[in-house]
Amino acid sequence: FAIASACQLMHETSKEAFDTAIQRVAGMLQRSDQLDKVEQYRRREARKKASVEARLKAAIQSQLDGVRTGLTQLHNALCDVKDIQNSLADVSKDWRQSINTIENLKDVKDAVVQHSQLASAVENLKNIFSVPEIVQDTQNLIEQAELLQAHRKLMDLECSRDDLMYEQYRMDSKNTHDMNLIGGYFGQVQSLSEELAKQLWMVLQRSSLTVRQDPTMLVSVVRIIEREEKIDKRMLDRQKQTGFIPPGRPKCWKKRMFQVLEGTVSTRIEGTQSETRDSNKMWLVRLLEITRKYVLDDLIVVKNMMAHCFPPHYNIFRVSFHLYHVALSTRVQELATDELLEANEIVSLLTWVLNTYKSVDMMGHPDLSSECDVNQLEPLLPQSVVDDLLGKYIQTFTSNITGWLRKALETDKKDWHKDTEPEADQDGYYQTTLPAIVFQMFEQNLQVAAQINEMFKEQVLMRCLVQMSQFLSRYRDEVIAYKDEHLKDRQLPQFYVQYMIAMINNCQTFKESINSLKRKYSPCMEPTQNDAAIERTLNEVAKEGCQFLLDEVFLDLEHHVIGWMNLPFCGTNVSRYVCQEMTSEAHRRVVVEYIKAVMQKRITFRNAEERKEGAERMIKEAEQFKFLFRKLSGEDTDQLCDAIAALAEVFKLTDPSLLYLEVSTLVSKFPDIREEHIVALLGIRGDASRDMRQMIIETLNQNKPSVSSNSQPIFKDITVPTISMTAMTSMTVPKLLK
């Protein structure tokens, strides 16, 4: 079947090749001119055929060579398998014959083990018989602090014990009786090891002092620990192979050494507190300073001296640096959780933790910074604990500042009733000590807050402004209460007016002090609601205080005018006439003096808001004059007081281009007004240009109205010092009540 299939496949292939050849020949001979090239085509195809046949023969030859090689290798493998089978048969035969021989060698094996034990015993025989003597010598050496020699003898004892126990373990690992016998004979070796360890730990605990006095002692301790580490490693390697580990191994003295150093550092940190809160209010400051000094001194000793006594791979300075950091963190967290911690103590602690600790005065000291980067240290206190302390400080500060402000206000209130005038500042203006006391408190707390960080400083400043806003509301209430109390008996307090002036002056001082604090401690702070509330309250206190003073003036004025009406001669017609004339003249003099005070004040409004505020105040006071004199005389008193209102309208005007019309109206109502009066009014407004002033004056001079016989002169008695145009442009608004 296979042959038939192959023949069929060859037939199909030949047919396909024949068809392909026909197609190719047909393609070559499509044109008549191609017949001349038939011989050329035939030679080319013959060459191709020869090339294909050559490649086919080479491929077939290669396949045949590969098959031949494979057959050879299979033949060799078959021979090898037969040889192995024969060898295995021989080994199996020899093994069956040697079973009895192996059983007969058990006695020889036992003899070998016994010989090994006896050889070990003979080798350690000297140490075995001299164990009590070596133990005593070792004990004496330990007491004499000859630690290296003591350790050498201890190693000899341990080596003898361990070798004997190892041989016993090899012979019979379950024979606990013999093991206990050996362990009992060498029983004092373990106690010697523990005694030596105590001496090592004692030296390590005093390492800072030892390295100064006897560094070789510290070097000896480190060498002993290194020896024990090597022995531990050797014993653990043997345990992996045999399962035997000597008693007391591994000692892990290196690990124990670092534990001792850690305990020493913790004890050192905890031992720095020599005072308590009850014995010294500055106990925490002293504790932190002593701690700083001790830690810095110890680390410098470790870097410059102890590091030379330890192998480099111990990294003893970095380890010590970390141990001190951890111990300090633990100690500081204990202090931070003290419920009795006061506000000043919180600030001292946080300043030390956040600033001093990493500064050049401590962990960032130049002698230490070359080995360790303080910026890589974890924070001494978690941020949550820092936030809790800051919150506790803010809460305590708020409570304290509220009490301090209340006490300061109560003290200031007592001064308001003194029988002496209030103090004056360097310029002679009345003031009380309240602003200075308040802002001294704020300044002190802000200086403290600035020691912690910028963010906390701004928080304290914001809290100060909040407290200031609340305090000023109470201050305003007390000023009003002071006025109400005075009205009950106007003879008391004796210096009511002077202290009211001082209270108004305090408002300006408060403003200046607040701005000074903000510039100093937060120059970039944006205006807040508290700022607006403070500004508003201070303005209200100042305005109300000024109104209270005006009320005082009007009460006095009303009292005197009523006194005129009650004179004995006011009962006759002539006397009534005289009284009315006196009232009218008083009215005129009050208005004239008022206008004179305005024009001679030498002030200049700086902006439209100030002009509006001043004008509204003048209009309000003119209405009070009208009401008072209308009440006293029973006649129309508007004309005189309208002069004040007319001046106010000149100030109140918002469009300077209309200023000429407003001044013209004023001149038409009061023809006796003179050029110097107009110059003074324009100077007070503060926004009239030189050309505009000149134009107004010249125009008014050209169109000056005639004085009516019915008009009541007001300005003729008001003199105004001559003011040059240059002087007018340089005038500024003085402080309150100057």
Side-chain angles (χ1 to χ4, degrees):
F1 178 78
I3 294 173
S5 298
C7 290
Q8 184 179 358
L9 179 62
M10 290 178 64
H11 176 73
E12 291 176 353
T13 303
S14 298
K15 186 177 183 301
E16 182 179 355
F18 183 77
D19 293 340
T20 302
I22 291 173
Q23 290 177 358
R24 290 189 63 188
V25 171
M28 293 178 184
L29 302 176
Q30 290 181 355
R31 297 189 306 275
S32 59
D33 59 335
Q34 291 179 329
L35 293 175
D36 297 336
K37 299 180 180 180
V38 169
E39 185 62 26
Q40 181 180 349
Y41 292 156
R42 187 182 65 76
R43 287 195 300 270
R44 186 178 66 183
E45 292 300 324
R47 287 195 300 272
K48 288 184 179 180
K49 180 180 177 182
S51 175
V52 170
E53 289 177 350
R55 289 199 302 271
L56 182 60
K57 289 179 181 179
I60 292 173
Q61 184 64 39
S62 175
Q63 292 292 329
L64 291 174
D65 292 342
V67 171
R68 186 181 296 109
T69 302
L71 290 174
T72 303
Q73 290 177 348
L74 287 174
H75 177 73
N76 294 336
L78 180 61
C79 295
D80 292 341
V81 169
K82 289 181 179 180
D83 292 342
I84 291 171
Q85 285 179 342
N86 294 333
S87 298
L88 288 175
D90 294 340
V91 169
S92 176
K93 181 180 178 180
D94 293 341
W95 178 74
R96 289 189 183 93
Q97 293 176 355
S98 63
I99 290 177
N100 296 332
T101 304
I102 293 173
E103 292 178 354
N104 294 334
L105 292 176
K106 184 175 183 302
D107 295 338
V108 176
K109 177 182 177 182
D110 294 340
V112 169
V113 172
Q114 186 175 12
H115 175 76
S116 176
Q117 292 175 339
L118 292 174
S120 177
V122 170
E123 183 179 351
N124 294 286
L125 193 61
K126 179 180 179 181
N127 291 336
I128 291 173
F129 286 117
S130 59
V131 164
E133 181 183 352
I134 297 174
V135 168
Q136 186 60 47
D137 290 344
T138 305
Q139 184 67 45
N140 293 337
L141 290 172
I142 292 174
E143 292 175 356
Q144 296 169 10
E146 298 291 341
L147 302 183
L148 275 178
Q149 296 183 35
H151 185 249
R152 171 58 62 186
K153 291 184 176 294
L154 177 63
M155 285 195 302
D156 292 341
L157 290 172
E158 289 179 338
C159 183
S160 299
R161 179 198 64 185
D162 296 346
D163 287 346
L164 290 173
M165 295 185 78
Y166 175 63
E167 294 300 333
Q168 176 60 38
Y169 179 83
R170 288 178 59 193
M171 184 176 68
D172 186 2
S173 61
K174 297 181 180 179
N175 189 346
T176 57
H177 178 268
D178 290 348
M179 283 286 195
N180 292 335
L181 182 64
I182 297 173
Y185 186 73
F186 287 91
Q188 291 181 297
V189 173
Q190 186 62 30
S191 61
L192 281 177
S193 177
E194 294 172 355
E195 184 65 27
L196 178 61
K198 290 181 181 179
Q199 295 298 317
L200 299 182
W201 311 148
M202 189 178 300
V203 172
L204 287 172
Q205 288 170 352
R206 303 173 65 250
S207 56
S208 295
L209 182 61
T210 302
V211 76
R212 293 185 179 98
Q213 297 177 348
D214 186 9
T216 56
M217 177 66 73
L218 187 58
V219 173
S220 298
V221 170
V222 176
R223 290 180 61 186
I224 291 171
I225 293 173
E226 278 289 280
R227 289 175 183 173
E228 290 295 336
E229 283 295 301
K230 293 178 180 178
I231 296 174
D232 280 349
K233 185 178 184 304
R234 189 168 64 250
M235 293 297 105
L236 290 173
D237 291 341
R238 187 170 69 177
Q239 182 188 22
K240 293 178 182 178
Q241 298 175 358
T242 65
F244 173 76
I245 187 76
R249 292 289 177 185
K251 293 183 179 181
C252 301
W253 277 7
K254 182 178 179 181
K255 179 180 178 181
R256 176 60 179 158
M257 176 193 74
F258 287 119
Q259 292 175 348
V260 170
L261 290 176
E262 181 179 1
T264 302
V265 171
S266 298
T267 303
R268 176 74 159 165
I269 298 301
E270 293 173 358
T272 55
Q273 183 171 349
S274 59
E275 297 174 320
T276 62
R277 182 181 289 107
D278 296 333
S279 61
N280 187 348
K281 290 185 177 180
M282 300 297 291
W283 69 278
L284 184 58
V285 175
R286 287 179 54 82
L287 168 62
L288 295 174
E289 177 57 22
I290 292 172
T291 302
R292 182 199 67 79
K293 186 176 183 304
Y294 281 6
V295 171
L296 180 59
D297 291 346
D298 289 353
L299 287 176
I300 290 176
V301 169
V302 171
K303 179 178 179 294
N304 296 332
M305 302 182 72
M306 278 184 61
H308 302 296
C309 300
F310 288 79
H313 66 273
Y314 275 52
N315 288 322
I316 192 63
F317 175 73
R318 291 181 179 273
V319 170
S320 300
F321 197 86
H322 175 71
L323 291 177
Y324 273 98
H325 176 73
V326 173
L328 285 170
S329 179
T330 302
R331 179 57 175 151
V332 167
Q333 290 189 50
E334 291 176 358
L335 294 172
T337 55
D338 186 355
E339 295 294 334
L340 300 178
L341 214 57
E342 299 176 357
N344 61 323
E345 295 171 347
I346 291 175
V347 171
S348 298
L349 182 61
L350 288 178
T351 302
W352 194 86
V353 168
L354 300 177
N355 299 327
T356 304
Y357 181 65
K358 292 186 178 182
S359 71
V360 295
D361 295 327
M362 197 171 176
M363 306 302 266
H365 193 276
D367 290 345
L368 309 180
S369 58
S370 60
E371 295 291 336
C372 290
D373 184 4
V374 294
N375 296 320
Q376 301 298 322
L377 290 174
E378 292 292 327
L380 277 182
L381 286 177
Q383 189 58 43
S384 58
V385 177
V386 174
D387 293 340
D388 290 343
L389 287 175
L390 292 177
K392 183 177 179 181
Y393 176 83
I394 289 291
Q395 183 179 2
T396 305
F397 163 72
T398 302
S399 176
N400 290 344
I401 207 72
T402 301
W404 294 336
L405 290 174
R406 184 180 295 108
K407 187 178 297 183
L409 183 55
E410 290 298 324
T411 302
D412 205 55
K413 282 170 55 180
K414 293 179 181 178
D415 293 342
W416 300 350
H417 297 82
K418 284 184 176 180
D419 294 334
T420 58
E421 290 185 351
E423 297 179 357
D425 62 12
Q426 64 272 18
D427 296 324
Y429 306 128
Y430 288 137
Q431 65 175 12
T432 68
T433 59
L434 182 62
I437 294 174
V438 169
F439 284 95
Q440 184 180 9
M441 289 187 289
F442 287 167
E443 179 81 21
Q444 291 173 352
N445 283 277
L446 285 168
Q447 288 177 353
V448 170
Q451 298 175 6
I452 298 177
N453 56 48
E454 289 295 318
M455 185 179 297
F456 182 62
K457 179 186 68 176
E458 292 195 358
Q459 290 180 1
V460 172
L461 177 58
M462 287 297 298
R463 190 54 60 96
C464 287
L465 294 178
V466 171
Q467 291 298 311
M468 188 66 192
S469 178
Q470 298 173 359
F471 166 75
L472 289 176
S473 296
R474 294 194 298 270
Y475 183 65
R476 179 190 178 194
D477 294 339
E478 294 297 339
V479 172
I480 295 174
Y482 181 64
K483 181 264 299 184
D484 293 340
E485 181 182 358
H486 169 71
L487 292 179
K488 295 177 182 178
D489 183 358
R490 296 187 61 232
Q491 301 301 317
L492 297 174
Q494 181 179 354
F495 295 97
Y496 166 79
V497 172
Q498 289 84 345
Y499 276 101
M500 183 60 69
I501 293 173
M503 295 174 200
I504 300 171
N505 283 338
N506 285 348
C507 295
Q508 182 69 12
T509 306
F510 278 130
K511 286 183 182 180
E512 293 172 352
S513 299
I514 291 172
N515 291 332
S516 174
L517 284 182
K518 291 175 67 176
R519 285 194 302 270
K520 182 175 181 180
Y521 292 101
S522 185
C524 300
M525 178 182 287
E526 296 293 331
T528 63
Q529 293 182 351
N530 288 318
D531 295 332
I534 291 172
E535 181 77 15
R536 183 172 56 254
T537 304
L538 288 173
N539 289 338
E540 289 173 354
V541 172
K543 288 181 180 180
E544 291 171 351
C546 292
Q547 188 60 49
F548 297 159
L549 291 176
L550 286 174
D551 291 343
E552 188 74 7
V553 172
F554 283 114
L555 286 172
D556 288 338
L557 185 59
E558 182 178 3
H559 172 73
H560 287 296
V561 175
I562 291 174
W564 303 338
M565 302 299 294
N566 292 330
L567 289 174
F569 51 78
C570 286
T572 65
N573 291 334
V574 177
S575 296
R576 174 169 295 278
Y577 171 77
V578 172
C579 290
Q580 289 177 346
E581 286 297 320
M582 289 177 63
T583 302
S584 177
E585 182 60 24
H587 184 188
R588 182 180 178 280
R589 290 187 62 179
V590 167
V591 172
V592 168
E593 291 298 323
Y594 185 95
I595 296 175
K596 184 185 298 184
V598 171
M599 291 191 172
Q600 294 180 350
K601 192 66 174 178
R602 293 293 188 275
I603 65 172
T604 300
F605 294 121
R606 290 173 291 189
N607 50 54
E609 184 65 27
E610 289 187 359
R611 287 192 289 274
K612 179 182 177 183
E613 182 180 347
E616 290 177 350
R617 179 172 170 181
M618 291 175 65
I619 293 172
K620 182 178 180 181
E621 291 168 356
E623 290 298 326
Q624 290 176 318
F625 286 142
K626 287 182 183 180
F627 174 78
L628 174 62
F629 287 101
R630 188 183 297 118
K631 176 181 176 183
L632 295 174
S633 65
E635 297 179 354
D636 183 13
T637 60
D638 292 351
Q639 185 178 3
L640 290 171
C641 295
D642 284 345
I644 299 175
L647 295 178
E649 292 299 329
V650 174
F651 297 148
K652 191 175 182 181
L653 186 66
T654 57
D655 187 357
S657 64
L658 301 177
L659 193 56
Y660 170 73
L661 296 177
E662 194 65 46
V663 174
S664 299
T665 303
L666 174 65
V667 173
S668 64
K669 289 183 179 180
F670 304 96
D672 63 324
I673 193 168
R674 298 191 299 276
E675 178 180 335
E676 60 266 26
H677 298 139
I678 303 300
V679 172
L681 291 176
L682 295 177
I684 294 172
R685 266 193 64 91
D687 64 341
S689 65
R690 180 190 302 270
D691 294 339
M692 180 178 290
R693 290 195 296 267
Q694 192 67 33
M695 183 270 292
I696 291 174
I697 296 299
E698 292 176 354
T699 305
L700 290 177
N701 287 334
Q702 295 172 3
N703 303 294
K704 190 169 184 179
S706 59
V707 179
S708 172
S709 59
N710 295 327
S711 62
Q712 188 175 3
I714 297 176
F715 292 92
K716 71 184 183 81
D717 296 328
I718 299 175
T719 58
V720 179
T722 303
I723 307 175
S724 67
M725 292 297 178
T726 303
M728 286 173 56
T729 58
S730 64
M731 291 190 298
T732 57
V733 179
K735 289 185 178 179
L736 188 64
L737 292 181
K738 279 193 175 182

